[in-house]
Amino acid sequence: MEASTALSRIGLAGLAVMGQNLALNIADKGFPISVYNRTTSKVDETVDRAHQEGNLPLFGQYNPRDFVLSIQRPRSVIILVKAGAPVDQTIAALSDHLEPGDAIIDGGNEWYENTERRIQQVSDKGILYLGMGVSGGEEGARHGPSLMPGGSYQAYSNVQDILHKVAAQVEDGPCVTYIGEGGSGNFVKMVHNGIEYGDMQLISEAYDVLKNIGGLSNSELSEIFAEWNRGELESFLIEITADIFKVKDEHGDGELVDKILDKTGMKGTGKWTVQQAAELSVAAPTIAASLDCRYLSGLKEERESAANALKEAGLKEEVGSVKVGVDKKRLIDDVRQALYASKICSYAQGMNLLRAKSIEKGWNLNFGELARIWKGGCIIRAVFLDRIKKAYQRNPDLASLVVDPEFAKEMVQRQAAWRRVVGLAISAGISTPGMCASLSYFDTYRRSRLPANLVQAQRDLFGAHTYERVDRPGAFHTEWTKLARKSDAGVGAFN
């Protein structure tokens, strides 16, 4: 049989940047792959790249039928198109030609319930389905992403050898594992993105404090982040931050970072994470604060007029007066510790959300394994994920990372520095919502008694919602207003 008529091992439909790069990665690992896109120029472009990047075994197909028939059975087809309706359209176009036992793998950032609906939908035709989170951006897709496949275990088994080779490799294996049933792969990727929002916000706050209170230049900031990347904060986001500060502006003086408009974009996975946390009654304040900051950053014109209005009302900038007495070296070290402690809280919130969903859906997620597959390829890859993996290996039922003996020790050691940074930022009028949210989360979670007793009393007074007592079982209701008036009358009698 000639090479041209040999069947491909796998197919990929949807050739935007992520799709092209993942297809080339698969071909690069020695697996013949068929590719298809509705816009034929994208197919040609991918075939050209495969040729240029080492005559890789990648074959372009120009209609859904030829594409499907060019793949060996049981067929596995990855689709990488925009989430929502385009996925349904692609499934409809392909499933006309797929047979029972074939599998569709959606590699997009899809809402997990859409995946669960599609699993049901295609199962009527005997087709298997996987929703697979892919993290690492275009670089990761080409050279080794973190993969989070959930859904049909059979569909996963059929391509396990490919996924293991294509994923990023770390010392304890490839950054891929079977996540669980249903939409678990998409859900895990969504929470990964929520943690990513928190991480990026915390890093931007560290930058803000160092720049505006410490008075550090971009070249100093670059050195500091590079140094942090050699220690406990070693991670992809810290590494790229060090690089960002180095880049000069080609259209003028100074560094490019200072010329970028302070409005943050978003695709929606952060919002979904916060909505899910609310639905499941899981506190995720650091992730929520980072989402709120993106919303506020979008109000650029409003913020500019607010700055002017408040200046006219007599608001003075505190930053200058704080700067004078600042010990730079100590500030840098304090910010490093505050960033680390805040990050632990952010990851703890993400893991607790995953646990709540896993219990609700019976997914039986393995948190140590999730931390392991995030150690390479993905955007939140970081050295301390190994510590998270070990924490869950020590105790798979860990209530929160904050109470793991190792992490608890680290939080306690860092809390003084953490409080100094947040206090300094507040007195200088610099907002650190992520760090404040993490610290409040820590302070609320570690207290055995909260002022929630007063909230319960209020709820019982105006809505007869009842309350429990600390000293006897049962639900109680009190006629608060009547008793309060009575005691007023009693006080009057004594005067």
Side-chain angles (χ1 to χ4, degrees), residues 186-205:
N186 296 111
F187 194 90
V188 166
K189 172 62 164 56
M190 177 197 78
V191 173
H192 160 288
N193 287 19
I195 293 171
E196 184 185 303
Y197 272 51
D199 248 356
M200 292 167 79
Q201 176 63 28
L202 292 168
I203 291 170
S204 75
E205 292 173 17

Side-chain angles (χ1 to χ4, degrees), residues 62 67 74 108 130 142 163 239 288 337 344 371 385 395 449 461:
Y62 295 90
F67 169 63
L130 273 183
R142 180 65 184 86
L163 300 182
E239 179 190 335
Q337 296 188 58
I344 293 173
L385 280 159
N395 178 7
R449 184 154 173 89
L461 184 150

Side-chain angles (χ1 to χ4, degrees), residues 367-382:
F367 308 111
E369 191 60 358
L370 295 183
R372 185 192 70 74
I373 67 167
W374 290 344
K375 278 167 54 178
C378 72
I379 306 298
I380 64 171
R381 62 182 181 265

Side-chain angles (χ1 to χ4, degrees), residues 38 70 99 115 190 193 211 223 232 345 408 432 472 477:
R38 268 199 334 201
S70 71
E99 298 172 277
T115 297
M190 177 197 78
N193 287 19
K211 180 185 177 181
E223 278 172 33
E232 63 187 14
C345 290
T432 50
R472 59 190 62 178
H477 169 57

